[in-house]
């Protein structure tokens, strides 16, 4: 059974500094997703990582995947206030049904 | 393009009442999912469907029922509502088991 563990669960960031969110998963996962969720809103897809060594970047966010270590990271460069949301990683089961197993989420607060 | 539409957005139920959460998508997606999100937690899969007439249980199906009579609609039925079902419910759809899922805006349900 695929289990996904995210840490930290809460991250207080200072504007302009760099931070990393970690996502470990327990068994083989077909692919790894990162989502963001604004308070009271739905999930917005950020990245999908398909293979070992995959790296995706969008603005100040960069995600990577190490399938051997069963680890994905979301790196935030020079944090700004509008990145103050909750980030989720989710692994997809390998049974072809597209089921997602989510981590508990990392709530990010960026302060001046 | 409406995407995935959920109704209602908010609902308060009394213990023991029943209700149906509606989900419809206009993208002709075969795969549809119901997730619930408890406060401070990631999403957990309740039920999923890979096509009209085909449904299966996810991780937390107890207390819920689904049906899928058309490609577009995937309603979630709560029978005998309990306080433990207080949650935010998200419906999602995708073209197939290996493709990105699109999420609806969520239904916030409180059982009192």
């Amino acid at each position: 059974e695929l289990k996904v563990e995210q840490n930290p669960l809460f991250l207080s960031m200072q504007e302009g500094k760099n931070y990393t969110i970690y996502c470990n998963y327990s068994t083989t996962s077909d692919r790894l997703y990162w989502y963001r969720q604004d308070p009271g809103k739905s999930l917005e897809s950020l990245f999908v990582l398909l293979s070992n060594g995959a790296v995706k970047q969008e603005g100040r966010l960069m995600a990577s995947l190490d399938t051997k270590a069963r680890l994905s990271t979301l790196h935030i460069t020079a944090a700004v206030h509008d990145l103050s949301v909750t980030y989720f990683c989710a692994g997809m089961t390998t049974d072809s049904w597209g089921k997602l197993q989510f981590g508990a989420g990392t709530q990010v607060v960026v302060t001046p | 393009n409406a995407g995935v539409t959920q109704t209602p957005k908010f609902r308060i139920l009394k213990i023991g009442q029943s209700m149906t959460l509606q989900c419809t998508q206009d993208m002709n997606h075969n795969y549809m999912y119901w997730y619930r999100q408890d406060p401070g937690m990631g999403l957990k899969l309740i039920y999923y469907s890979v096509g009209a007439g085909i449904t299966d249980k996810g991780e937390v199906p107890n207390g819920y029922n689904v049906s899928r009579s058309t490609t577009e609609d995937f309603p979630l039925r709560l029978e005998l509502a309990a306080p433990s079902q207080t949650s935010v419910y998200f419906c999602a759809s995708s073209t197939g088991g290996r493709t990105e899922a699109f999420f609806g805006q969520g239904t916030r349900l409180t059982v009192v």
Side-chain angles (χ1 to χ4, degrees), chain A:
Chain A
E1 182 187 338
L2 175 62
K3 291 192 189 304
V4 177
E5 200 168 289
Q6 226 176 299
N7 67 86
L9 299 184
F10 179 80
L11 192 47
S12 177
M13 298 185 181
Q14 277 190 296
E15 277 185 345
K17 293 195 174 177
N18 304 333
Y19 296 88
T20 300
I21 299 170
Y22 299 89
C23 177
N24 292 91
Y25 55 96
S26 59
T27 65
T28 302
S29 176
D30 193 64
R31 52 198 59 195
L32 201 292
Y33 291 85
W34 284 96
Y35 292 89
R36 63 172 276 162
Q37 185 181 39
D38 287 74
K41 303 292 186 184
S42 188
L43 278 75
E44 178 186 340
S45 177
L46 290 172
F47 303 109
V48 54
L49 302 167
L50 300 178
S51 58
N52 189 43
V55 177
K56 295 272 184 82
Q57 182 160 8
E58 178 79 29
R60 299 175 189 276
L61 301 179
M62 184 175 73
S64 64
L65 180 64
D66 180 343
T67 57
K68 293 190 172 79
R70 294 182 183 155
L71 171 69
S72 180
T73 58
L74 181 67
H75 189 72
I76 299 172
T77 301
V80 293
H81 180 70
D82 66 4
L83 295 181
S84 296
V85 297
T86 299
Y87 297 89
F88 291 96
C89 65
M92 181 175 279
T93 59
T94 57
D95 58 11
S96 302
W97 304 129
K99 297 180 289 184
L100 294 171
Q101 187 70 36
F102 284 83
T106 298
Q107 184 183 357
V108 167
V109 175
V110 181
T111 54

Side-chain angles (χ1 to χ4, degrees), chain B residues 41-56:
Chain B
M41 302 291 287
L43 281 68
K44 292 189 184 299
L45 183 64
I46 306 171
Y47 271 95
Y48 66 102
S49 169
V50 300
I54 307 169
T55 63
D56 205 352

